[in-house]
Amino acid sequence: MQKIALTIAFSAATIACGTAGKGTDATGKGSSTPLGTPDATAVESLANAWAVASEDDLPECDTARRGQLYFVESDDTFRVCRATGWAEIDLKGADGATGAKGATGAAGAAGATGATGAAGATGATGAKGATGAKGATGAAGGSGSGGGGFDIAAKLDCAAYKQGWYLEYTGVRFTNNMLFVSCVASGSTMQSSASTIYSEAQAGSDDGYCAVTFDTDGTASYGYWEFTYTNLEVIYKDPGSPYNGFTFQFDLAADCVEISQ
C-alpha cells in the first residue's frame, strides 16, 4: 500500500466522533459507520470519512469508494481510496525547531561508598640506602665484680697398652679444687672416650672416677672400664665376660707424666 502526504484540517469535534459501530457486508469486508459529515471547507474531493478497527477491515477500494477516507484504529492512521488502491496518509508535519536547553537539574545525592578494593601486590624492594655515619664511641664500662679466675694446680697424664687394649687417663686439678678427668679405651679398630668435671663438693672429686663404655669380647652383656685418679687403677666390668674384673694399674713412673704448678 503506498503512502502519501495529505494535509487534512478536520475540526476537533469531527475527529472526536469516533466509530459508532461496524458489521460485515456482502463481500466479507468489514463495514463501517461514518464518522460524521466532513466540513466541506476543510476537505476537497473526499466524499466521506469512515473508521475501521484494522487494516484488514478496509472495504474493497473500487470506483464507488474513490476518494473515501478511512481511519484505522489499530495503528491510528488514515487511508484514502485512490485509483492505485488504498494509500496511507502521512499526517505528520515537518519537524519543529529544537527547543531551548532546559535548566540544569539539581545534583543527585552522593552514592554509597563502594567496597574496599583488594590489597595490591607488594612492591619491589627498594635500593639499599647509603651506610650511615659512624656513631660516637660509647663510655667505658665499669669494673666487673665477683668471680675470681683459677689456674691449673696439678695435671696427670697416663697411657699404656695392656693385653691388646690401649688405656689412657688424664686428671687436671685446679686451684679452686675443681677436677677434670677424661678416659679412653680402644682396641685395634674402635675407640671410646668419656670426660667429667667435678666440683669440690661432688662425689667423685676425691678419687677422680671416670667410666667409659667399651666392650672387649662382644658377649650379650656390655662391658665398661672404670678409671680412678688416686690409685691409677683401671677395672673392666662385664658380668657375662671372662674378662670381668680384669684390673690394671698404671705405673706412675713408666706410664704417667705428672705436672705440679
Side-chain angles (χ1 to χ4, degrees), residues 143-172:
S143 300
S145 60
F150 54 88
D151 296 319
I152 296 176
K155 182 179 179 182
L156 178 68
D157 289 315
C158 300
Y161 283 95
K162 190 66 174 180
Q163 296 186 3
W165 303 306
Y166 174 74
L167 306 172
E168 181 180 312
Y169 179 82
T170 298
V172 181

Side-chain angles (χ1 to χ4, degrees), residues 216-217 221 223-224 235-247:
T216 60
D217 51 13
S221 56
Y224 63 96
I235 302 175
Y236 181 73
K237 294 186 176 181
D238 184 354
S241 169
Y243 297 103
N244 182 45
F246 169 80
T247 302

Side-chain angles (χ1 to χ4, degrees), residues 219-235:
T219 55
S221 56
Y222 212 83
Y224 63 96
W225 298 82
E226 289 184 340
F227 297 74
T228 55
Y229 181 84
T230 52
N231 55 11
L232 302 180
E233 189 175 68
V234 184
I235 302 175

Side-chain angles (χ1 to χ4, degrees), residues 4-101:
I4 62 173
L6 180 65
T7 302
I8 300 178
F10 286 106
S11 66
T14 302
I15 295 177
C17 290
T19 302
K22 65 188 178 76
T24 304
D25 61 14
T27 66
K29 292 286 186 175
S31 60
S32 56
T33 303
L35 292 171
T37 303
D39 186 348
T41 63
V43 179
E44 294 182 354
S45 71
L46 295 179
N48 292 296
W50 307 79
V52 294
S54 67
E55 186 178 354
D56 292 338
D57 295 327
L58 289 171
E60 183 180 355
C61 180
D62 53 17
T63 55
R65 291 187 174 84
R66 190 75 49 78
Q68 288 186 354
L69 179 68
Y70 278 76
F71 175 71
V72 180
E73 297 176 357
S74 61
D75 54 10
D76 290 335
T77 59
F78 284 92
R79 305 287 198 280
V80 63
C81 180
R82 304 181 67 203
T84 56
W86 289 107
E88 182 179 341
I89 299 174
D90 186 3
L91 298 179
K92 180 180 178 182
D95 292 338
T98 302
K101 183 177 180 181

